[in-house]
Amino acid sequence: MTPSEAARLPIWLRLAVAQGITAPVIYLGVIVVGGARRPGYSHLHQAVSELTEAGAPDRVGLNIALAVMELLTVAFGLGYFVAVRQVDRHLAASAALMVVIGVAGLGFARFPMDPVDAPITFDGGMHLVLVSISAVAAIAAVLLAALGWRRVQGTRGLGVFSFAMLAAMVASGVISGYVGANGGPGIGVWQRINTGAFGLWQVATALFLLQRGAMLPGPRPQA
């Protein structure tokens, strides 16, 4: 076995971790394809959830793709957890939250968003609950990762990147919430910045683990 082979994660673990790259790509594809197939849809001013809202024409097909994406997110979370569980507790918690995000996301197919300006239904209310759970879990996952990587030797760059993506997520999330609550334009832009930052963090984390996961040292001693 060569040194490079010894430094690799087991193949099954590499496959799980790699889904941190695949899942965001599928999500991007859903947004692009779904938007293109819906006449008049604006990526600038409409929420992503409107593509699969109650009564949307391509709702079933898009939900199948999103369900696959969520299952891959769960796989990534499990692989991430196995790779870091003995490295740092913050990283292990971050990975566990990725599983929570994937499981919660599977509920979106059952509980679609209510059409804009329509009365709030039980399903629409549950959709908002799942959105809230996913949003809070995503921010917590990136925050814990940023704190964790800061404590692990040789991973400062990923820690800084995680903090940068966290800042983008928080800022865009606050603006998106304000715009949505006040009926202003541009909510689509801010939502895409938010999910884009999260997706970039997932990809960066997966790539790092694929390249250096088997060589991770223990946490730095605390002062």
Side-chain angles (χ1 to χ4, degrees):
M1 181 180 292
T2 66
S4 61
E5 290 173 334
R8 293 179 181 175
L9 297 172
I11 183 63
W12 64 269
L13 187 52
R14 289 175 61 82
L15 287 173
V17 168
Q19 305 321 308
I21 301 170
T22 308
V25 171
I26 291 177
Y27 185 69
L28 177 61
V30 167
I31 294 174
V32 172
V33 173
R37 289 179 57 84
R38 185 162 178 178
Y41 181 82
S42 172
H43 290 286
L44 298 179
H45 304 302
Q46 290 181 261
V48 174
S49 291
E50 291 185 49
L51 292 172
T52 55
E53 67 184 9
D58 291 325
R59 180 171 174 266
V60 174
L62 294 179
N63 274 328
I64 291 174
L66 289 173
V68 171
M69 183 269 292
E70 301 294 2
L71 290 172
L72 295 180
T73 298
V74 171
F76 167 65
L78 293 173
Y80 177 16
F81 180 82
V82 171
V84 302
R85 71 189 188 282
Q86 295 181 332
V87 176
D88 181 84
R89 67 180 186 276
H90 295 90
L91 296 175
S94 171
L97 284 170
M98 291 304 301
V99 176
V100 171
I101 291 169
V103 172
L106 291 171
F108 287 124
R110 169 61 182 83
F111 301 109
M113 172 183 172
D114 290 319
V116 176
D117 297 327
I120 297 179
T121 64
F122 174 78
D123 286 357
M126 287 300 298
H127 178 87
L128 294 176
V129 170
L130 291 173
V131 167
S132 298
I133 292 172
S134 297
V136 172
I139 289 173
V142 180
L143 172 60
L144 288 167
L147 294 174
W149 292 126
R150 187 182 63 175
R151 298 179 61 213
V152 178
Q153 298 175 18
T155 61
R156 179 179 176 82
L158 185 55
V160 171
F161 182 79
S162 297
F163 274 119
M165 293 302 98
L166 175 65
M169 289 170 64
V170 172
S172 59
V174 170
I175 296 173
S176 176
Y178 176 82
V179 170
N182 291 275
I187 189 171
V189 173
W190 298 110
Q191 281 195 345
R192 284 157 178 78
I193 291 174
N194 184 275
T195 56
F198 182 62
L200 287 174
W201 170 80
Q202 274 187 263
V203 171
T205 302
L207 287 173
F208 177 85
L209 292 173
L210 288 172
Q211 295 171 358
R212 296 184 53 192
M215 299 182 289
L216 285 174
R220 294 188 180 119
Q222 297 299 296

